[in-house]
Amino acid sequence: MADLSQQDWTKQLKEDNNSVILDVRTQDEVDLGMIPDAIHIDIFKGQGFIDEIEQLDKSKSYYVYCKSGGRSGQACAIMNQLDIANAYNLLGGFTDWQGEVAHKQ
């Protein structure tokens, strides 16, 4: 797991052709907007979160965020335990996000 600043996280994401953006916030938080092209798996689902993470392609790199960086750090640690080697935590999370924001229609 690596904690990356937004600048490093977005730079590395752009250069990574085998990447997935993962939003681990609650549905209510996601409804306020999310980083474009992110997939959503709520970390508060407990075992359901683990079950969904285990279905992911372990060969990909995952760029993980939450509201402020705490839950996404936990998610990255869980992902590492589940044999996903490349999980990158966005420090400051969505709260400090300066990039594009997508809203569900």
Side-chain angles (χ1 to χ4, degrees):
M1 176 185 111
D3 290 321
L4 300 177
S5 68
Q6 179 174 319
Q7 182 178 1
D8 292 340
W9 194 86
T10 53
K11 180 178 184 288
Q12 192 169 311
L13 176 62
K14 282 181 187 156
E15 295 169 355
D16 190 336
N17 294 326
N18 194 32
S19 62
V20 176
I21 303 171
L22 178 62
D23 184 327
V24 298
R25 299 174 301 156
T26 65
Q27 186 61 54
D28 285 346
E29 290 171 312
V30 169
D31 290 345
L32 300 174
M34 62 193 303
I35 295 174
D37 302 319
I39 62 169
H40 175 232
I41 306 176
D42 185 346
I43 193 169
F44 288 145
K45 283 180 162 178
Q47 185 62 43
F49 175 77
I50 291 169
D51 292 344
E52 288 189 54
I53 294 299
E54 287 179 325
Q55 303 301 312
L56 297 175
D57 183 343
K58 291 178 175 32
S59 70
K60 292 191 178 293
S61 298
Y62 292 89
Y63 293 81
V64 187
Y65 73 96
C66 65
K67 184 175 180 180
S68 63
R71 285 173 286 172
S72 50
Q74 292 174 330
C76 287
I78 291 167
M79 293 169 81
N80 289 163
Q81 291 172 354
L82 297 174
D83 297 325
I84 295 175
N86 299 314
Y88 304 100
N89 181 34
L90 176 60
L91 291 173
F94 194 72
T95 300
D96 292 346
W97 179 248
Q98 301 290 313
E100 195 178 335
V101 174
H103 294 276
K104 291 190 176 179
Q105 302 301 332

